Structure formats: C-alpha cells, structure tokens
Amino acid sequence: MSTKVTTPAGLHCSTLQAVAAERQFQDAIITTIAEFAKNLSESQQIEILKFVLNFDSEVILRKGSNRRSQPFVLVLMKTMLQVAEQYQCSTISNALHPEFLKNLLRGVAVDKDPAIRIYVQKLLHTLMDRNHNSAKLMKVRIYTQEESLSDELQCQSPDMQDILFMKQTGVLLTENLFWQLLESSNKVDNLEHVCCTISLIALEMSADEVLLELFRLLLAVQEKVVPGGSKESASLPQTHRCAVHAIVASQMTLLVKLLKDRAPAALCEHIYGVIERRGQDAPHLLPKVAFNRNNTQGSYPADFKITDELLFHQGKISNILEDNHFDVSGLDIFSA
C-alpha cells in the first residue's frame, strides 16, 4: 500500500495555487459589482459605495483595532474604487455624502497600512475629479508666477452647493488631511496622493472660502513640522518633515494662482519670496529635492534648522488678506 506524502515544495505549490484562485475570485467579484454599478444612477452608485464600505463591520473602529483583515479591506477598497470609476460627479456634495465621508475618513482612512490609505486617497480623487486633473497633480511641484494654470489644468467655477458642502462637511476632509500629512508611517506615495487631494479640493471648489480654509490647513501643518513644533514632528524622520514642508510650499503657490487677479501683490511677494529664499538656502524644503526618490542622506543638512525667512508667516498672510477684504476670521484656528 502506498501513502501519498505532501512535500514542503508540494505544499508551497498548493498554497500558491489557492492564493491565485482566491485573487481570481476576488477580481471577479470586484468586476461584477463595478459592471452592475455602471448602469445605475448617480445616487444608486453612491449607495453601492456606502454599502460596500459598511460591509466591513469594523470599519468605523479600524484605528487601533487588532481584529482586522487587511486583505479583506484591500478588496473592499478596490471594489469601491472600481465603482467610483463609473461615477460621473456633478456636485461634490452628492459624491461625498456626509455619512459615507465620515465612515471613510474615520475608518479605513486612518488605517495603519499605508497601502490602504493610498486607496482612500485614490477613491477621493476619483469622486472629486470632475475635470480629469488627478494625473497632472500627482507630481508635487511649485507653480511659478509666470505660468498659466489654464494651459494645463481645468479649474471648476465656484458652485454654491460646493461652498455649502465645505462649510458643513469640509472639516472632515481638512482634519483628515491634517493628520494624514503627519502620519509617521507614510511613504512617498502617500504624501503625493494627499497633496493631490488638497490640489483637487482647491481646483474643484475654488471659491474664496474654500481657498482660505486650505490656507488655514497648510499653515497649521507647517506649524506642526517646524523643529520643536510638536510631539508629532519630533517622531517624524527628517525626510518626512522636508517632504511636508515641500507640500506646503507647493500648495501655497497653487492657492495664490487660483486667487488669480484677486491675489494681493503683497501675498504673491511673500509666498514667492519664501520659495526663492528656500531655493537659495534650503532646497531640501522644496519639491525638487524633497520628492527626489534618488536622494541620499547627503541631500539633507546634518542639522535640521528652519529660520523665519524660510517659513510662510500666518500673521503676515492673515493681515494681507484682511487688508484686501477677505474674511480671515478662522485663519488662525485649527481644531483638529
């Protein structure tokens, strides 16, 4: 009588086959749900997204939970992303329903797995990007004074529904982006995706109220990552802090460009003055160096110091905007 013995190699082969079959099954489910959603109305597609998100019973309590299934969460995120790709956004408030946004940003968006957090940002991009700007916004860069945004990017005209959305629900987005930028487990890809999200909010909802809210976000983040600024900053590696400063610089120049002819000359002078000074004395605080994947330790100074002239000054920005009749009542407050 012969006995069949499973060798380690055979066991390994069997395991690989099982994994491949499982992935094939998952892909089939994702594709089927996406195809089903393709023929639904906008509101029904959003309901599908809410259903898929809520299918994970631990989604709201995901932060700090030890009872999670990362592969399962990734399947959920891939499913939502494919469904979202069928969605044609008309208004941001419809795409980002408050209940859905709250569960998303306070659930999987704060997962410890950087890959899952990237999927969350991709989902936000897909839902918000009415003008197909996302791919062009993935590169973190400085928007120069001379260039015209309209040559490359499409800017959405301010819409009252979008303004109301930001007033009522936008705090969920800005709070999440604030903490996303300070997350110590971020990879370069995470930071690039978060930067793209900020850019999309600015481009898709470019009303003054929204742009001022983003100024507030950027100034609050900058305050956290200056040396000695916070406990969060102290735990971040130098490369991460430089990348965050570079994102702040990038988005400051984008916001100034979006203000167009309403941008006070003094504000442009301050923003681009800081950029110029960094180019001379601290290039590691600008995207060209901070987001160069070929960097070495020698690309950064041995002693991480930032002088005042290398920072965007909240008081100066606030005074300039106020002198030019912008409402800056909330610019110095961040309650994240």
Side-chain angles (χ1 to χ4, degrees), residues 170-323:
V171 65
L172 291 173
L173 272 174
T174 51
E175 283 185 359
N176 179 262
L177 292 168
F178 178 83
W179 293 114
Q180 288 293 315
L181 288 169
L182 300 175
E183 172 56 57
S184 60
S185 65
N186 277 335
K187 311 297 183 186
V188 174
D189 288 348
N190 290 92
L191 292 172
E192 288 174 337
H193 279 79
V194 173
C195 185
C196 179
T197 304
I198 298 172
S199 299
L200 278 174
I201 294 172
L203 285 164
E204 292 292 336
M205 298 178 281
S206 58
D208 289 350
E209 297 90 335
V210 176
L211 299 182
L212 286 172
E213 177 67 7
L214 294 178
F215 271 118
R216 184 175 76 110
L217 167 66
L218 297 173
L219 290 167
V221 170
Q222 177 185 256
E223 185 178 351
K224 286 286 186 179
V225 291
V226 294
S230 67
K231 293 180 180 179
E232 292 88 352
S233 174
S235 67
L236 296 178
Q238 184 182 21
T239 52
H240 189 149
R241 280 182 284 171
C242 290
V244 173
H245 278 291
I247 287 175
V248 171
S250 166
Q251 297 306 288
M252 282 286 185
T253 59
L254 177 61
L255 296 184
V256 167
K257 300 291 289 184
L258 288 173
L259 285 173
K260 300 177 183 176
D261 56 349
R262 293 168 292 126
L267 180 63
C268 296
E269 183 180 343
H270 173 60
I271 299 298
Y272 285 103
V274 172
I275 300 298
E276 183 178 358
R277 189 60 182 264
R278 287 187 181 187
Q280 295 169 352
D281 300 339
H284 54 282
L285 301 180
L286 294 175
K288 190 173 181 179
V289 172
F291 281 87
N292 184 343
R293 284 176 164 80
N294 296 320
N295 279 348
T296 64
Q297 193 62 37
S299 304
Y300 301 92
D303 188 15
F304 186 72
K305 292 182 179 179
I306 304 180
T307 56
D308 281 349
E309 59 267 23
L310 298 174
L311 295 172
F312 303 100
H313 284 265
Q314 177 180 308
K316 186 174 292 187
I317 291 173
S318 181
N319 289 337
I320 293 171
L321 290 172
E322 186 174 22
D323 289 345

